[in-house]
């Protein structure tokens, strides 16, 4: 069996990385675009843009974590009343972390999402 080495060249496009992080705010406009648009950007550019694989995985992990927090938090309000704290945490996370990581992406740093579950490693 012969293994052919591919010479893959990555282009550095920090603006696309920043846009990937900021498209998470589409959830506030459309209600669902914050997961779909970054997913499409990640899947189409992960082999072409330097750092897109790492940043895309982080964005998708955050969005999936937020969905899980909402699914757990809403029934917890009715059962325990403590679900409000989880929903406040998820709301603050969804507002602050995309901006922080968009700035990190523009500086060429790795993303760091606090409070996310790594669904995609």
């Amino acid at each position: 069996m012969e293994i052919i080495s591919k010479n893959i060249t990555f282009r550095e496009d920090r603006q696309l990385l920043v846009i990937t992080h900021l498209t998470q705010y589409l959830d506030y406009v459309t209600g669902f675009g914050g997961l779909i648009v970054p997913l499409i950007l990640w899947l189409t550019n992960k082999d072409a843009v330097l750092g897109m694989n790492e940043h895309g995985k982080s964005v998708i992990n955050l969005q999936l974590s937020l969905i899980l927090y909402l699914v757990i938090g809403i029934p917890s309000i009715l059962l325990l009343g403590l679900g409000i704290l989880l929903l406040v945490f998820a709301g603050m996370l969804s507002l602050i972390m995309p901006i922080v990581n968009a700035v990190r992406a523009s500086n060429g740093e790795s993303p760091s999402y606090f409070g996310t579950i790594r669904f995609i490693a």
Side-chain angles (χ1 to χ4, degrees), residues 23-37:
T23 55
Q24 296 177 74
Y25 289 117
L26 287 173
D27 277 340
Y28 295 107
V29 178
T30 62
F32 60 87
L35 176 64
I36 296 170
V37 174

Side-chain angles (χ1 to χ4, degrees), residues 17 20-21 24 34-35 38-39 42 51-66 93 97-98 101-102 104-105 109-121:
L17 296 176
T20 304
H21 287 286
Q24 296 177 74
L35 176 64
L39 181 65
W42 172 56
M52 177 58 87
N53 196 27
E54 180 183 12
H55 286 270
K57 286 179 184 178
S58 297
V59 170
I60 300 304
N61 283 332
L62 174 69
Q63 289 298 313
L64 293 176
S65 296
L66 289 174
L93 198 67
M97 295 311 288
N101 284 298
R104 290 177 67 101
E109 299 174 14
S110 296
S112 173
Y113 280 106
F114 172 75
T116 59
I117 302 167
R118 294 188 148 251
F119 294 102
I120 302 170

Side-chain angles (χ1 to χ4, degrees), residues 44-98:
T44 57
N45 293 307
K46 68 180 179 182
D47 295 328
V49 176
L50 184 66
M52 177 58 87
N53 196 27
E54 180 183 12
H55 286 270
K57 286 179 184 178
S58 297
V59 170
I60 300 304
N61 283 332
L62 174 69
Q63 289 298 313
L64 293 176
S65 296
L66 289 174
I67 291 170
L68 181 66
Y69 294 155
L70 291 176
V71 167
I72 293 171
I74 292 173
S76 296
I77 291 173
L78 299 173
L79 297 175
L80 305 172
L82 296 176
I84 293 173
L85 295 175
L86 184 62
L87 293 178
V88 168
F89 172 73
M92 290 176 49
L93 198 67
S94 68
L95 284 173
I96 296 169
M97 295 311 288

Side-chain angles (χ1 to χ4, degrees), residues 1-32:
M1 185 163 131
E2 184 176 328
I3 299 174
I4 300 172
S5 174
K6 296 180 182 179
N7 290 333
I8 299 173
T9 59
F10 290 96
R11 62 182 162 87
E12 184 174 356
D13 192 357
R14 291 184 184 174
Q15 292 175 346
L16 185 61
L17 296 176
V18 170
I19 290 170
T20 304
H21 287 286
L22 294 180
T23 55
Q24 296 177 74
Y25 289 117
L26 287 173
D27 277 340
Y28 295 107
V29 178
T30 62
F32 60 87

